[in-house]
Amino acid sequence: MKAKEDLRSLLKKIDGKGYKLYKEIQGIYDFGEGLIINIDYVQGDPFAAPSKVCARLTQKKAKFPEELYNTKSRKVAAEDFVTRKFAENIDIIIKGNRGTGKSGLISIDRGGQEVLERTSVVINKEYVEARFVIGLPAKGRKILGKQAEEMFFEEIPKIVNSSMVYNNIDSRLMRKWVELYEDQEFIRKEMIKKGLIAFIANDSILPRKSGVSDLPMSKEKAIPFKSPPSLEVEFNTPNNGIVKGMGIPKGITLIVGGGYHGKSTLLKAIERGVYNHILGDGREFVLSDRDSVKIRAEDGRRVCRVDISPFINNLPYKQDTKAFSTDDASGSTSQAANIIEALEMGAKVLLMDEDTSATNFMIRDVRMQHLVFKNKEPITPFIDKVKLLKRDLDVSTILVLGGSGDYFDVADLVIMMDEYLPKNVTERAIELRNKYKTLRVSEGGDSFGKVNDRVVSSQGLNPVINHKLKIDAKSTYNIRFGNENINLNYVEQLVDKSQTNAIAYIIFYAFKNYINDNNSLHTIVKNVFNDIEKKGLDVISPFKGAYPGNFAMPRKYEVAAAINRLRSLVIKEQRWKA
């Protein structure tokens, strides 16, 4: 370890020289008073990906109370809070651009409305650590040593002091942040005991600010959520006391109502309820079964050896649907594949909106049944499988509908949204299904059908090209993996680019450790998540000794979705699930 004055001397020495000499500053420096700064990666030029830096402060100096991070849930929330505080202080303290390209940049993975386990900040009994990036300043490709010195010796210590010392932050707010997350996790456990798959607290703000913003709509414009009395449940939380709201039990739930009355808004909130949300989001106590998966049609996606026969059979030209493959799936075949792939990974709740579903996959009414006989129609509509899903696989469904009352015949619960407020209209729906019988014939058979495990081949999964690792999350919904591009535009429960970045490296980690032409996709993903649970999210980084500050925890469903959409994926064989 070097002294901080060694860094100062180096910066003076290379001032005005070629940018590549910045490589000389790589190393670990003792800044005194418990602060260690590790410059563990230096960018090659001012336009390249910024340099990676880690600031570690001893707990003797930071003094974070242990009760704020002594459980897994509290630790996740505490690290999230410090990450956001670090980001806020970057905005306040740094002077910004000082030269060419990324010169003068300081940035940390600050997150959005969800609280996710991240690698940006680590808090334990010994230290608090922040991992961030900086753009080392240059004019053209000449080093601006004085500006770099200002960043390392003035700005970074100020940010650390304002963000990573407990006495310098809003300790009351941090405690509320941690306690909220703890209560969210408490309710999730209680939901299981009550047989609930979703909970929406009274006074929640579900609408968002706009179609391109995940921030809450202002309270002046939004209508606070209020549960119908017949569906209201309550939880006595450890920190926030009694929380009341609408509970949705296991089974088949329809969300109905007129256009623009809040059906899709409610489903979207439930869809995002697999994550905990930050204080002030409006969805703090909108919580869903974490094994809930949003399903939609996805025209054009690749499908590799998926058994879609529960929904689609007898295709023209005798195409096999027990091991169905295509490079250009239709709306119905893609939706069928999306369901089967979710079930393969263990999904317990399917979330669907008719607006993003294939019509011929969802329903075939009595008139169409009489015009096109079943022996000429390959598709078994979802309406005829949804009850079998619940009976055979214990999989529930929440479905938004506006145009097909035939689903009243299979529903356990019908919620009508009326000007953004829910009403329990199940009894009225039963009356209507008895009064207006559809006379359609069920085409679902006696059982749902079996769900297979698929064995993944290692062929086509190596992202190393010409001895260089080619992995990059281009956006939240786009991954470069070797020579392939993984399109995740319709994987709607991805919420953060850092999740996508983690998924890209999880696939490579799986390739190196568990993809061996023998393990199933389910087993591969399970093994990776077991490693993450034991060793932390850092384990997926291939850069030994470097500090990955831009990973956020994804779910297994989105990891599997990315693998399934990799166009070079090869499935070796299928196995029956036990």
Side-chain angles (χ1 to χ4, degrees), residues 228-395:
S230 59
L231 296 175
E232 189 169 77
V233 295
E234 67 175 49
F235 299 94
N236 187 5
T237 64
N239 304 299
N240 284 278
I242 300 293
V243 178
K244 295 182 179 181
M246 184 175 80
I248 297 178
K250 287 183 174 183
I252 301 163
T253 297
L254 307 183
I255 302 173
V256 303
Y260 305 98
H261 279 258
K263 303 187 301 296
S264 296
T265 299
L266 174 58
L267 186 71
K268 189 74 174 178
I270 293 170
E271 168 190 325
R272 292 294 183 93
V274 297
Y275 305 111
N276 294 340
H277 287 86
I278 63 172
L279 195 66
D281 173 78
R283 300 169 296 184
E284 291 94 323
F285 291 115
V286 178
L287 304 167
S288 309
D289 188 312
R290 283 215 165 103
D291 289 312
S292 301
V293 180
K294 177 70 181 298
I295 301 294
R296 59 167 295 153
E298 193 175 344
D299 298 70
R301 67 153 289 196
R302 182 172 189 258
V303 176
C304 187
R305 297 192 71 178
V306 178
D307 184 356
I308 60 172
S309 63
F311 295 107
I312 300 176
N313 269 301
N314 304 318
L315 286 174
Y317 311 112
K318 297 182 180 180
Q319 189 173 358
D320 183 15
T321 61
K322 289 186 178 294
F324 179 76
S325 297
T326 179
D327 287 329
D328 188 17
S330 68
S332 56
T333 54
S334 63
Q335 193 158 354
N338 287 343
I339 290 174
I340 299 301
E341 289 168 354
L343 297 177
E344 182 183 7
M345 294 306 298
K348 302 308 293 182
V349 184
L350 304 182
L351 308 174
M352 301 170 71
D353 190 328
E354 68 174 358
D355 284 351
T356 55
S357 297
T359 302
N360 61 340
F361 180 81
M362 298 303 294
I363 186 69
R364 206 161 85 90
D365 66 22
V366 64
R367 289 172 175 160
M368 193 60 72
Q369 285 183 324
H370 280 83
L371 180 65
V372 181
F373 296 124
K374 179 58 182 169
N375 64 349
K376 295 295 184 180
E377 174 52 76
I379 302 172
T380 299
F382 187 72
I383 190 173
D384 293 328
K385 287 292 189 178
V386 65
K387 291 187 77 169
L388 298 171
L389 262 174
K390 180 67 181 71
R391 188 197 72 187
D392 297 351
L393 302 179
D394 193 28
V395 173

